[in-house]
Amino acid sequence: EIVLTQSPGTLSLSPGERATLSCRASQTISSSYLGWYQQKPGQPPRLLIYAASSRATAIPDRFSGSGSGTDFTLTISRLEPEDFAVYYCQQYHGSPWTFGQGTKVEIK
Amino acid sequence: QVQLQQWGAGLLKPSETLSLTCGVFGGSFSGYYWNWIRQPPGKGLEWIGAINHSGITNYNPSLKSRVSISLDTSKKQFFLRLSSVTAADTSVYYCARGDTAMGFTYWGQGTLVTVSS
């Protein structure tokens, strides 16, 4: 099973600031099969990024993804009030599909 | 516009069987894999398993002995059964459409299932 470790656990930032979230895999995964999701309280996750760097439909361009091999990054260039949420990385390179434990982006 | 709507019993006793249904509205049923994912209160996401339109299943080994996923293509529905539930199975259960190239693109609204005596 591929374990995904996200850091930091919590990120305290102000609106307008830049957020950098990390996801490290326990083994090399194809960047074609790494995604990022945003989840707000009481809602299902929403796909933001797929294939490590492609934005899903209707996702603003302040969200970007990068990385390869075992290290991947989600960057939010300038935080908007609606961006404060929990973010998960997820791999669909090998079964069982797995998620990271999440990074909470909170208002400082 | 693709929508997934899910339903099923929300309160179970230990040892009972959890049963959920997910209906797919809009879009094709074929060409995707149909997933169940769960999230214990205040915790992270766990993939339970998936089924494709041909009925081929893939389960998380951690739950494989207790899980069954099936589908009814004529109704565009798929189903989750989880047997012998315990309090540890208390979670919000989500259905989701899986795309080989994109991951989980559409999600149901979630169903809170509580296991309590």
Side-chain angles (χ1 to χ4, degrees):
Chain A
E1 173 175 320
I2 298 174
V3 177
L4 299 178
T5 302
Q6 293 186 240
S7 61
T10 302
L11 203 49
S12 298
L13 295 167
S14 300
E17 290 193 295
R18 181 185 188 90
T20 303
L21 288 67
S22 174
C23 176
R24 177 164 290 179
S26 60
Q27 58 187 270
T28 297
I29 62 176
S30 167
S31 58
S32 297
Y33 303 113
L34 191 285
W36 290 91
Y37 298 80
Q38 177 193 67
Q39 187 178 32
K40 297 179 180 179
Q43 297 183 16
R46 177 176 70 145
L47 177 66
L48 297 176
I49 300 287
Y50 65 94
S53 61
S54 296
R55 274 187 299 277
T57 303
I59 301 303
D61 61 6
R62 63 180 181 273
F63 291 92
S64 63
S66 63
S68 63
T70 59
D71 291 300
F72 299 88
T73 301
L74 174 70
T75 301
I76 311 171
S77 60
R78 289 177 55 86
L79 282 164
E80 297 288 339
E82 62 268 27
D83 299 337
F84 292 91
V86 179
Y87 293 84
Y88 295 95
C89 59
Q90 183 253 329
Q91 65 81 21
Y92 42 109
H93 172 94
S95 184
W97 319 139
T98 52
F99 293 86
Q101 81 280 19
T103 290
K104 182 178 182 180
V105 179
E106 65 176 22
I107 300 176
K108 186 175 181 179
Chain B
Q1 177 72 352
V2 177
Q3 289 189 349
L4 276 63
Q5 290 185 2
Q6 56 182 106
W7 61 92
L11 181 60
L12 297 174
K13 290 181 167 48
S15 79
E16 292 186 331
T17 296
L18 178 158
S19 292
L20 296 174
T21 300
C22 184
V24 179
F25 301 90
S28 173
F29 203 60
S30 62
Y32 301 99
Y33 52 99
W34 303 96
N35 299 266
W36 290 98
I37 296 159
R38 70 179 183 177
Q39 184 172 37
K43 296 188 178 180
L45 298 157
E46 179 182 32
W47 175 75
I48 298 169
I51 189 167
N52 70 6
H53 67 281
S54 299
I56 297 172
T57 55
N58 183 16
Y59 299 133
N60 192 323
S62 67
L63 295 167
K64 188 173 184 176
S65 63
R66 298 193 292 129
V67 170
S68 176
I69 298 175
S70 57
L71 78 168
D72 183 334
T73 55
S74 66
K75 293 183 178 179
K76 294 178 72 175
Q77 293 176 353
F78 62 107
F79 314 98
L80 172 68
R81 289 175 60 86
L82 180 67
S83 63
S84 305
V85 297
T86 70
D89 295 309
T90 294
S91 292
V92 176
Y93 287 76
Y94 295 102
C95 58
R97 191 181 86 171
D99 183 309
T100 303
M102 298 179 66
F104 304 121
T105 49
Y106 294 94
W107 296 66
Q109 77 276 20
T111 300
L112 175 61
V113 177
T114 302
V115 180
S116 174
S117 56

CSV table of all heavy atoms in Angstrom, one decimal, chain B residues 4 11-12 90 114:
chain,number,residue,atom,x,y,z
B,4,LEU,N,-24.6,12.5,-8.2
B,4,LEU,CA,-24.7,11.2,-7.5
B,4,LEU,C,-25.5,11.4,-6.2
B,4,LEU,O,-25.2,12.4,-5.5
B,4,LEU,CB,-23.3,10.7,-7.1
B,4,LEU,CG,-22.5,9.9,-8.2
B,4,LEU,CD1,-22.2,10.7,-9.4
B,4,LEU,CD2,-21.3,9.3,-7.6
B,11,LEU,N,-28.5,4.3,11.1
B,11,LEU,CA,-28.2,3.8,12.4
B,11,LEU,C,-28.3,2.3,12.4
B,11,LEU,O,-29.3,1.7,12.0
B,11,LEU,CB,-29.2,4.4,13.4
B,11,LEU,CG,-29.0,4.0,14.9
B,11,LEU,CD1,-27.7,4.4,15.4
B,11,LEU,CD2,-30.2,4.5,15.7
B,12,LEU,N,-27.2,1.7,12.8
B,12,LEU,CA,-27.1,0.2,12.9
B,12,LEU,C,-26.6,-0.2,14.2
B,12,LEU,O,-25.9,0.5,15.0
B,12,LEU,CB,-26.1,-0.3,11.8
B,12,LEU,CG,-26.4,0.0,10.4
B,12,LEU,CD1,-25.3,-0.5,9.5
B,12,LEU,CD2,-27.7,-0.8,10.0
B,90,THR,N,-18.3,3.4,12.2
B,90,THR,CA,-19.1,4.7,12.2
B,90,THR,C,-18.3,5.7,11.4
B,90,THR,O,-17.2,6.1,11.6
B,90,THR,CB,-19.3,5.2,13.6
B,90,THR,OG1,-20.1,4.3,14.3
B,90,THR,CG2,-19.9,6.6,13.6
B,114,THR,N,-24.0,5.5,11.7
B,114,THR,CA,-23.6,5.3,13.1
B,114,THR,C,-23.9,3.9,13.6
B,114,THR,O,-25.0,3.4,13.4
B,114,THR,CB,-24.3,6.3,14.0
B,114,THR,OG1,-24.1,7.7,13.6
B,114,THR,CG2,-23.9,6.2,15.5
